[in-house]
């Protein structure tokens, strides 16, 4: 059992909080992603779990045991970083075997375990190559195999794909997903890339300025963002957000009027996703085209409504000129309402 519990975890340097009052339970075999912009405290959280950083306050429990005072090597955790940190003078086989030697695992087991780990990341045929003779993606897979070979209770992965080019990132991401399904080891994965988070995670923890903003499945976070920060961080393009006033279920802002909402009267922030709205139809907004982007399977139309840019996904054959007036339909059912002051979700 490798359930991980973080209880009131805080990391403070002087008066600066890197992480504040973090409470989280990561289930045995769960794939949990820590997601947030640079500096939000993801890596610090991970380093505290690994034992590379002391928590200022709080308890870190792994499998029911408090590990705050345990050395990293005694926590049964394997880590994969964005820099692969392979030994340049060892070949692939020796690099993967290294953790077994360090841990004094009987030599008779090495061959089989190294081969199994290498096969899992499809490196079987590269065993004799040095890291300098491998591509970036292959090196990252050696790093993965080196973590797998230990058969740890917990995997920690810190932006393992960030040094790879876009295409390799997608294929290695799929490989990590497949591996996690096969290995079923509790995994905490750090990224600032929301697509990586959405595709890999059982649950996502969205962080900002050392604080947890929301914990949920990818679907929960996408469909019910807890606040405007999560709403604008998840999804591409970001959720359209506009300020206005609610009166008896009608939202009115600059250039927009939407009826049939259930929300309070007074100032409110309204949000909707580009893919939920449509061009034509209800004409809750009519505004000039600011830009058109061809996406292949669709056309992203951005209009300038009042001072705000509003994006809507149109069919791929939709065409208009910059400056043309376009009507956008925004049914009440696709709208999210947030507190105008705090940004917290209303409802
Ligand atoms: P990135 O995606 O850029 O790696 P992150 O979310 O992983 O960001 P952390 O590395 O956890 O961010 O850092 C969280 C905050 O703590 C940052 O503002 C950082 O500057 C600060 N921080 C990290 N290490 C220290 C330190 N040793 N002393 C003081 N502040 C630190």
């Amino acid at each position: 059992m490798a359930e991980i519990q973080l209880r009131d975890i805080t990391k403070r340097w002087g008066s600066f909080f890197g992480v504040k009052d973090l409470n989280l339970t990561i289930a045995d075999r769960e794939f949990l992603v820590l997601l947030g912009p640079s500096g939000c405290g993801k890596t610090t959280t991970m380093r505290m779990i690994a034992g590379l950083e002391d928590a200022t306050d709080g308890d870190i429990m792994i499998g029911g045991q408090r590990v705050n005072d345990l050395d990293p090597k005694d926590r049964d955790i394997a880590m994969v970083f964005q820099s692969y940190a392979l030994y340049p003078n060892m070949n692939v086989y020796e690099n993967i075997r290294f953790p077994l030697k360090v841990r004094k695992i009987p030599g008779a087991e090495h061959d089989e375990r190294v081969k199994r780990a290498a096969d899992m990341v499809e490196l079987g045929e590269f065993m004799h190559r040095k890291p300098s003779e491998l591509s970036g993606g292959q090196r990252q897979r050696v790093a993965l195999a080196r973590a797998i070979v230990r058969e740890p209770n917990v995997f920690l992965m810190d932006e393992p794909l960030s040094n790879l080019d876009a295409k390799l990132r997608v294929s290695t991401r799929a490989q990590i997903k497949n591996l996690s399904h096969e290995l079923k080891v509790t995994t905490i994965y750090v990224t600032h890339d929301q697509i990586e988070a959405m595709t890999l995670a059982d649950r996502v923890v969205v962080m900002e300025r050392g604080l947890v903003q929301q914990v949920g499945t990818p679907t929960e976070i996408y469909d019910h963002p807890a606040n405007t920060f999560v709403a604008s961080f998840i999804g591409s393009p970001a959720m359209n957000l506009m300020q206005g006033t609610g009166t008896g279920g009608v939202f009115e802002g600059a250039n927009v009027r939407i009826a049939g909402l259930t929300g309070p009267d007074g100032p409110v922030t309204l949000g909707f996703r580009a893919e939920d709205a449509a061009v034509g139809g209800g004409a809750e907004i009519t505004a000039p085209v600011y830009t058109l982007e061809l996406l292949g399977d669709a056309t992203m139309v951005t209009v300038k409504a009042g001072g705000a840019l509003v994006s809507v996904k149109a069919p791929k054959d939709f065409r208009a000129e910059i400056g043309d007036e376009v009507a956008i339909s925004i049914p009440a059912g696709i709208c999210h309402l947030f507190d105008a002051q705090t940004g917290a979700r209303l409802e």
Side-chain angles (χ1 to χ4, degrees), residues 83-314:
S83 59
Y84 333 112
L86 302 180
Y87 297 99
N89 51 347
M90 293 186 194
N91 66 22
V92 168
Y93 182 94
E94 290 158 344
N95 263 288
I96 299 175
R97 182 181 57 175
F98 191 74
L100 301 179
K101 284 187 115 175
V102 172
R103 260 148 254 274
K104 307 213 165 31
I105 308 281
E109 287 182 33
H110 290 190
D111 216 38
E112 196 197 322
R113 283 173 70 166
V114 171
K115 282 191 178 135
R116 197 164 57 219
D119 282 344
M120 279 187 155
V121 296
E122 291 161 39
L123 278 174
E125 56 187 302
F126 298 111
M127 291 294 206
H128 299 293
R129 294 227 195 146
K130 295 276 173 61
S132 60
E133 298 160 344
L134 298 172
S135 71
Q138 289 162 345
R139 283 179 213 168
Q140 190 52 282
R141 274 147 54 197
V142 178
L144 275 174
R146 199 175 47 182
I148 293 169
V149 79
R150 286 183 40 193
E151 298 170 8
N153 259 328
V154 178
F155 277 129
L156 301 181
M157 302 193 188
D158 193 353
E159 308 248 5
L161 306 182
S162 60
N163 282 341
L164 306 181
D165 68 35
K167 199 166 165 221
L168 255 179
R169 242 190 342 253
V170 172
S171 59
T172 314
R173 186 176 82 203
Q175 196 158 29
I176 289 179
K177 174 134 193 166
N178 186 275
L179 269 178
S180 80
H181 180 77
E182 238 172 273
L183 294 167
K184 297 195 173 60
V185 172
T186 309
T187 301
I188 303 179
Y189 184 107
V190 162
T191 183
H192 62 269
D193 181 326
Q194 48 116 2
I195 310 245
E196 244 168 79
M198 299 292 279
T199 50
L200 286 170
D202 292 325
R203 279 189 311 156
V204 180
V205 179
V206 184
M207 296 181 73
E208 159 73 339
R209 292 168 195 263
L211 293 171
V212 169
Q213 302 294 318
Q214 187 169 6
V215 182
T217 63
T219 312
E220 283 164 358
I221 286 192
Y222 184 85
D223 289 343
H224 295 280
N227 54 43
T228 47
F229 174 79
V230 177
S232 52
F233 197 73
I234 304 282
S236 178
M239 183 183 279
N240 295 299
L241 292 173
M242 40 186 63
Q243 306 296 329
T245 307
T247 317
V250 178
F251 173 87
E252 282 186 282
N255 276 25
V256 53
R257 183 178 193 282
I258 302 171
L261 294 163
T262 41
D265 286 354
V268 71
T269 302
L270 178 133
F272 65 91
R273 294 203 184 276
E275 56 271 38
D276 294 335
V279 286
E284 277 77 16
I285 294 179
T286 303
V289 170
Y290 177 76
T291 182
L292 280 187
E293 293 161 290
L294 306 185
L295 304 178
D297 62 340
T299 300
M300 192 63 71
V301 183
T302 302
V303 300
K304 197 160 190 180
L309 294 178
V310 173
S311 294
V312 53
K313 217 168 180 181

Side-chain angles (χ1 to χ4, degrees), residues 1-5 26 60-67 153-154:
M1 271 290 285
E3 179 186 89
I4 301 174
Q5 279 185 10
I26 302 130
I60 302 170
M61 316 286 294
I62 301 181
Q65 186 193 4
R66 187 174 184 277
V67 299
N153 259 328
V154 178

Side-chain angles (χ1 to χ4, degrees), residues 11 13 16-19 36-45 47 53 82 158-159 190-192 207 210:
K11 179 69 197 186
W13 289 281
F16 179 82
F17 286 86
V19 174
S38 181
C40 72
K42 314 178 289 286
T43 298
T44 303
T45 302
R47 288 173 58 82
E53 195 87 69
Q82 54 178 281
D158 193 353
E159 308 248 5
V190 162
T191 183
H192 62 269
M207 296 181 73

